[in-house]
Amino acid sequence: MARNKGLLLGLFSILMITGCGGGSSTPANSYTITTFTSSKVNISPSAQTVAPGSRATFEISVDGGSMLEGVHGCDGALDGSTYTTASITADCVISSVYTPMIQQNVPDTDTTGPQKTLFALVALKGQSKELSLQDIKQLVTENQNSLNKFIITNSNGKAWIDAEFLDWIDLEKPSYVNYSTEFEDDVIDALSRNPEVNLGEIDRLVIMGTKGDDGIGCYAYKTAATYGSEDQYRGSLAILGGGMNSEEGFFCINPGRIAHEYGHTFNFDHSETAQCPLPGLTVPESLFDLVGGRCEYGNGLMHDTMGTDADYPLYSTVWRVDAGWIDESQVTTIDEFGVYPLEQSSVSSPGQKLLKIYIGQGMQQKDLFYYVEYRKKLGLFDPPEFGVWDGTYSAGQSDAYNIVVRHTDFKWGPFYGDLLSYQGKGSRNRDKVLDLGVDFIDEYRDIRLSVKSIKDDHDLSTVEIEVHLPRARIVPSYLYRFETEGETATFSVKNISSDDFRVNSASISGRTPDGFEITSNNCFDQIIAPNAQCDITVKRTALATAVISYVDIQINDG
């Protein structure tokens, strides 16, 4: 949960898959060992054919920017750079797991370089202390799947946690209300009196504890702020104190939830979902208001750390670009029809990681986009149920993927806005809205996405997506509110295509269309040439009730 003001840790990586099975082309008296190769790890030779009961050896090398985390398959063992299999009794596959190394000479910013973080255990008066400092260290830094490894992997080695830990400190009060600023100030006051703590050196502060009777919530602030009765601390703040109607004492103290709240402190918003019937996805007429449409809000995007909290597979590429963890050169902003390549976003690779398609402006003239990213099950943190839902969890499917289509939220200002993603309705939300043979069509904003091919080359796996852009641009595309009755606003309709089009009609639609009327329309039945524009003026007719509406403009007979 994000609040107006916001922390966690990690390193991570990948290239993995295992598999066994008979090969019809292999003679009955021999078996084939194949390797799951990558752009970062070389396994030589790439394949061997051996007699039953024989062993085989392979040489492993890693590029300079990555670190080998392990080699798996064929019941083998790694000794130095040599991987030796067990006695081979069936065809098998050898795979590697790697992580990015911490990059040298990274700028020390709010989102890159070392993130100085204090993890402090805090107890309310009389509260049991069921967590140990070692428990927290295990979660944050001292295990193979630590939060620090998660952060390093998501950031491609550009951010890591410089962690400090503080054992239990006691507050004088036995309870606080959830999300209490009094609790926050009391904690800062107590920390400022502790000789082991120098709050002036801390970038991020994570308060952790067992659940109280009322709980103190699980939340984080998205921007740095000042805390304490005497403003002793300025920085990011996350609270992981239980509550939330959970019967479990450690409701907030699990890797996924910590990663989620820590992500907020990097200014990452939530990933929500719109669940829509398939086939024939119908994107809502209004991206601001889903009420009354065929789509409905879901519970957060699966396999996204800022969506559901149970696992922590990956932060969205959108947020990672904003944080400087993925290079801007790996983002394609599309301004013309074409077919665009997109590499998987799950692990580090050199290609394009994000497609952006402009769809207008939101509150305070913030530019809004459709985003497309390609998620493939290559990550150490990917949950076993990543694959297409078939009634059972399909663990270990390295070929599982999802092409995610989402856009930023229209409702908020320039520093706020969840990502809204689209999923098929039902089937535990695993139905895909964009895939080979499944187009994503937004008829209301005149956008179509089609998958032309999927080239599966492991961590260089690439999809090619054909993008049809809108023919018209409306400016402003969104107005948050009309303040007074009779207030007017003028919208310009500009032809941004290469062909003429005719405006057939303009009308007010939406949940409460009677709240507005069109008072001027010099677009009607006009031929609009490329780069030309026309204007439509709308007036608010009554302020008795709140209204949410939109202007429906039809061109070329729909």
Side-chain angles (χ1 to χ4, degrees), residues 109-275:
T109 71
D110 289 342
T111 56
T112 60
Q115 304 299 309
K116 189 72 171 180
T117 305
L118 173 62
F119 293 84
L121 286 167
V122 176
L124 309 184
K125 184 177 180 179
Q127 187 178 43
S128 62
K129 301 174 181 178
E130 301 172 38
L131 286 168
S132 71
L133 203 59
Q134 187 57 38
D135 291 332
I136 304 306
K137 290 180 179 180
Q138 279 290 115
L139 282 168
V140 175
T141 58
E142 296 182 4
N143 76 85
Q144 179 71 15
N145 297 323
S146 71
L147 296 173
N148 189 46
K149 176 168 289 189
F150 180 70
I151 293 296
I152 293 173
T153 301
N154 271 261
S155 69
N156 296 309
K158 295 180 180 180
W160 58 94
I161 296 175
D162 181 4
E164 293 185 2
F165 301 91
L166 183 66
D167 213 342
W168 289 100
I169 61 172
D170 297 303
L171 300 182
E172 296 179 357
K173 295 187 64 173
S175 65
Y176 295 85
V177 298
N178 278 358
Y179 318 123
S180 166
T181 56
E182 180 187 15
F183 168 77
E184 296 164 5
D185 287 344
D186 285 353
V187 170
I188 299 302
D189 291 349
L191 290 174
S192 68
R193 295 190 296 267
N194 191 308
E196 299 180 34
V197 177
N198 184 348
L199 290 173
E201 296 181 351
I202 302 300
D203 301 318
R204 287 172 162 77
L205 175 59
V206 181
I207 305 303
M208 311 174 90
T210 50
K211 183 174 92 65
D213 291 338
D214 297 319
I216 52 175
C218 305
Y219 61 94
Y221 292 108
K222 290 180 53 206
T223 55
T226 300
Y227 302 90
S229 61
E230 298 180 1
D231 297 340
Q232 301 98 314
Y233 170 65
R234 178 166 181 80
S236 297
L237 178 65
I239 307 294
L240 295 157
M244 309 294 286
N245 298 318
S246 170
E247 296 299 324
E248 301 176 15
F250 309 113
F251 176 71
C252 300
I253 313 300
N254 65 71
R257 189 59 189 258
I258 300 171
H260 178 102
E261 302 303 345
Y262 200 75
H264 283 314
T265 71
F266 288 102
N267 204 28
F268 299 167
D269 264 306
H270 288 127
S271 294
E272 303 293 348
T273 61
Q275 296 176 12

Side-chain angles (χ1 to χ4, degrees), residues 341-362:
L342 186 62
E343 280 187 9
Q344 55 75 29
S345 62
S346 306
V347 300
S348 175
S349 63
Q352 298 305 105
K353 296 289 191 178
L354 187 68
L355 304 183
K356 293 174 61 175
I357 304 163
Y358 181 80
I359 53 175
Q361 291 184 329

Side-chain angles (χ1 to χ4, degrees), residues 28-54:
N29 62 347
S30 65
Y31 296 113
T32 299
I33 305 171
T34 55
T35 62
F36 188 82
T37 58
S38 78
S39 62
K40 308 295 183 182
V41 180
N42 181 60
I43 304 177
S44 181
S46 60
Q48 290 193 53
T49 300
V50 299
S54 299

Side-chain angles (χ1 to χ4, degrees), residues 69 99 251 279 535:
E69 290 288 337
T99 62
F251 176 71
D535 295 327

Side-chain angles (χ1 to χ4, degrees), residues 49-99:
T49 300
V50 299
S54 299
R55 298 175 184 267
T57 61
F58 295 80
E59 289 299 313
I60 313 296
S61 60
V62 189
D63 80 357
S66 302
M67 179 170 59
L68 187 67
E69 290 288 337
V71 182
H72 308 283
C74 306
D75 294 326
L78 183 65
D79 183 9
S81 63
T82 302
Y83 189 75
T84 304
T85 70
S87 297
I88 300 301
T89 59
D91 293 346
C92 59
V93 178
I94 296 174
S95 61
S96 61
V97 181
Y98 65 90
T99 62

Side-chain angles (χ1 to χ4, degrees), residues 271-510:
S271 294
E272 303 293 348
T273 61
Q275 296 176 12
C276 307
L278 291 177
L281 167 75
T282 301
V283 175
E285 297 93 329
S286 169
L287 298 182
F288 175 84
D289 179 32
L290 297 184
V291 173
R294 299 178 66 213
C295 302
E296 60 188 34
Y297 279 113
N299 295 319
L301 183 67
M302 299 295 290
H303 323 311
D304 187 311
T305 304
M306 303 311 294
T308 55
D309 299 333
D311 296 292
Y312 59 137
L314 195 70
Y315 293 128
S316 165
T317 303
V318 178
W319 301 141
R320 293 158 68 202
V321 169
D322 287 350
W325 295 354
I326 292 177
D327 294 339
E328 287 285 352
S329 62
Q330 294 184 282
V331 180
T332 301
T333 301
I334 297 172
D335 56 10
E336 61 182 359
F337 166 83
V339 177
Y340 296 87
L342 186 62
E343 280 187 9
Q344 55 75 29
S345 62
S346 306
V347 300
S348 175
S349 63
Q352 298 305 105
K353 296 289 191 178
L354 187 68
L355 304 183
K356 293 174 61 175
I357 304 163
Y358 181 80
I359 53 175
Q361 291 184 329
M363 184 179 178
Q364 300 182 20
Q365 287 72 56
K366 177 181 68 175
D367 286 340
L368 302 171
F369 300 88
Y370 266 119
Y371 296 98
V372 186
E373 61 180 287
Y374 173 33
R375 287 279 282 111
K376 187 172 171 62
K377 184 177 167 60
L378 292 172
L380 285 176
F381 296 87
D382 281 327
E385 68 272 20
F386 184 94
V388 176
W389 182 249
D390 59 3
T392 62
Y393 287 122
S394 48
Q397 291 187 350
S398 68
D399 58 345
Y401 66 89
N402 189 20
I403 304 169
V404 182
V405 181
R406 51 177 137 208
H407 55 73
T408 37
D409 196 325
F410 276 59
K411 296 192 294 292
W412 306 109
F415 304 110
Y416 297 91
D418 296 340
L419 292 176
L420 183 66
S421 305
Y422 289 88
Q423 296 176 330
K425 196 172 184 179
S427 301
R428 197 170 168 80
N429 310 330
R430 297 315 202 273
D431 292 327
K432 296 177 180 178
V433 299
L434 180 61
D435 199 359
L436 288 169
V438 180
D439 291 354
F440 182 94
I441 302 172
D442 182 349
E443 63 184 50
Y444 300 101
R445 277 149 290 276
D446 198 21
I447 292 173
R448 176 193 290 265
L449 307 174
S450 303
V451 179
K452 308 306 290 183
S453 70
I454 298 178
K455 300 176 181 178
D456 194 7
D457 190 13
H458 306 307
D459 64 332
L460 296 180
S461 185
T462 304
V463 298
E464 291 185 321
I465 297 178
E466 183 177 85
V467 179
H468 294 257
L469 293 174
R471 288 162 287 179
R473 176 167 295 170
I474 316 297
V475 180
S477 58
Y478 167 63
L479 291 175
Y480 184 60
R481 60 170 58 90
F482 285 68
E483 299 290 351
T484 60
E485 184 174 346
E487 183 177 351
T488 62
T490 298
F491 298 84
S492 296
V493 181
K494 183 177 181 179
N495 185 347
I496 58 173
S497 72
S498 58
D499 299 313
D500 293 349
F501 65 66
R502 179 187 298 274
V503 177
N504 302 112
S505 66
S507 60
I508 304 294
S509 300

